[in-house]
Amino acid sequence: MYLFTHRKDLRITDLRAFDYIIRNHKDPGLHLLILDPALTTKERLTAHSGRSFLTHAAQLIAQYADAGQTLHLLYGQPADITAALLGAYPAIDEVIVHADYTPYARQRDEQLQQATRHAGRKWLPLADAPLADLEEFHTFARRSEPYKVFTPFHRMWSTYMQQHYAPAGRTTVRDLHTVGSLDSGVAARFALPPAIAAALAEGAERAAAGAAPEAQGELSRFVRERLSAYGERRDDYAAAGTSGLARFLNAGAISAREAYESAQGSYGADTWIRQLAWRDFYLYQAMFHENFFRYEHLVDQSPLSDRHFEAWATAQTGVPIIDAAMTQLLQTGELPNRLRMVTAMFLTKNLLCPFTLGEQHFRLHLSDYDNTLNRGGWLWSSSLGYDAAPYFRIMNPVTQSQTHNPSGDYIRRWLPELAHQSDRDIHLPEPHAIVDVKASRARAIEVYKTILA
Ligand SMILES: Cc1cc2nc3c(=O)[nH]c(=O)nc-3n(C[C@H](O)[C@H](O)[C@H](O)COP(=O)(O)OP(=O)(O)OC[C@H]3O[C@@H](n4cnc5c(N)ncnc54)[C@H](O)[C@@H]3O)c2cc1C
């Protein structure tokens, strides 16, 4: 018997663990989803990312039920739950999960591994989230040091993908044999508290109401309707020219392999697949560079301050494209990539705020929040990290707005109070803008030159 716990893999097709289980276990298994107190705080559950997680969790429960299988839901510390299950089920010989490399996940999995080994069972973390098997890729690349820069990484990654890509698996949960009932002592000890059960029920209602469109349907629609123009339209943020798949990929509602295979061979696929390679690049950094998640401790950020943070976060800077973008984020949890870069550069450079404040704000508000990709984006935008925007190349929010949405319609949509402005004037900072864009840019270059010296 085995124990499998879902984490960032909230789907029932193409899981590396399912392929492993079908090959190695004729016996039944317990399939589990743990609502971890650390990840289900009230603040998180009411944020866009938490709501998105619960909607995907509710969909997963429904998918198991449709397939005639059982997913058990428990609330508590993952290591305590695992230890209790291993105690209640002497027949479990293996604990299977998909590997995760964020600081929290590493610590959690260390405890899980200890609990599993302590009980004399086998601990098996399998690679699933990245498109390439990054451990294998690292060996294939024969590097003495892990890659720090995207371009050479991408070159080698493309070769690896051509030669060693392991396609999506065919096993679904329907092919497995899940255990239907759970030991009553464990079920009672780790039952969902009423507030969490209620939040999950709301997630189920959102899913039933179509708030979370079905991941596979979204993927096929993107490939059919928008992929061919992706290269030209990805920065046209008013028109939503990108796939919008990040929230599904990050919750694991679709696998990166399913996304890649659907796009492969279509016109425009290369540009889009390059973005999937950026995703792998940041996952690779999280795996191989121990400083990726502690970069802020390596540089002296004392010349920076939180003085303007509130104005930025609450869309009160007086720079229209920044305030429009921050309004979209607050109201919807969405923010196109170009505007993530523009607002992040504005916060860290023109407003001289530490990147960690913006990173935390995105954590609470992005519905596709992902710890690793968010950190990668903030390190890039603030010119810190290994492969980052040069500190002297600071995006000007006004020219970015004029270039990527000349009509200013995006600003009109999110800041209706500016709707009367002409197409020419709408991009310009308002008289009460909290900084002068040019002067603050010049100051930022001086400050970052010192920080990075
Ligand atoms: C400051 C900042 C913060 C960010 N925070 C997050 C985050 O929390 N979660 C998140 O998923 N992405 C984050 N990104 C990366 C990127 O903005 C989003 O992945 C993208 O906007 C998602 O939209 P999409 O699914 O339509 O992407 P598409 O353009 O359709 O791209 C397809 C997929 O490729 C990957 N991808 C695309 N762009 C990037 C990128 N620049 N870096 C890494 N992977 C990429 C994503 O998985 C994405 O879903 C951040 C970028 C910046 C600059």
Side-chain angles (χ1 to χ4, degrees), residues 202-372:
E202 281 171 25
E205 277 169 28
R206 277 195 300 278
E214 200 251 314
Q216 297 288 352
E218 282 290 289
L219 171 60
S220 350
R221 227 181 338 276
F222 167 67
V223 170
R224 219 174 37 242
E225 296 169 8
R226 303 200 299 284
L227 176 62
S228 60
Y230 176 78
E232 295 106 71
R233 300 200 37 208
R234 56 192 290 244
D235 285 329
D236 180 359
Y237 48 76
T242 65
S243 69
L245 289 171
R247 64 207 153 116
F248 300 112
L249 285 166
N250 296 337
I254 42 169
S255 72
R257 294 174 291 274
E258 290 168 323
Y260 172 74
E261 290 175 24
S262 299
Q264 243 188 343
S266 300
Y267 182 79
D270 287 355
T271 316
W272 192 65
I273 289 171
R274 190 181 158 86
Q275 294 311 112
L276 295 178
W278 268 105
R279 178 176 180 272
D280 267 13
F281 178 60
Y282 287 136
L283 293 173
Y284 172 88
Q285 296 220 357
M287 280 172 79
F288 290 104
H289 288 298
E290 58 177 83
N291 287 330
F292 183 67
F293 279 109
R294 50 184 306 279
Y295 205 92
E296 59 275 33
H297 303 297
L298 305 186
V299 286
D300 175 14
Q301 295 197 78
S302 58
L304 309 179
S305 87
D306 63 1
R307 186 166 152 232
H308 292 304
F309 173 72
E310 270 314 302
W312 175 85
T314 55
Q316 305 287 332
T317 68
V319 179
I321 190 60
I322 302 293
D323 294 345
M326 300 312 285
T327 304
Q328 181 187 18
L329 176 64
L330 290 175
Q331 288 185 10
T332 66
E334 317 242 317
L335 192 60
N337 181 59
R338 169 120 328 237
L339 293 178
R340 295 185 202 203
M341 296 193 288
V342 172
T343 53
M345 276 209 181
F346 190 74
L347 179 74
T348 54
K349 305 288 175 50
N350 301 72
L351 302 184
L352 289 177
C353 264
F355 79 88
T356 42
L357 289 183
E359 181 188 34
Q360 162 80 355
H361 185 74
F362 276 19
R363 181 175 86 78
L364 285 178
H365 294 284
L366 279 176
S367 47
D368 66 14
Y369 168 72
D370 177 86
N371 195 345
T372 306

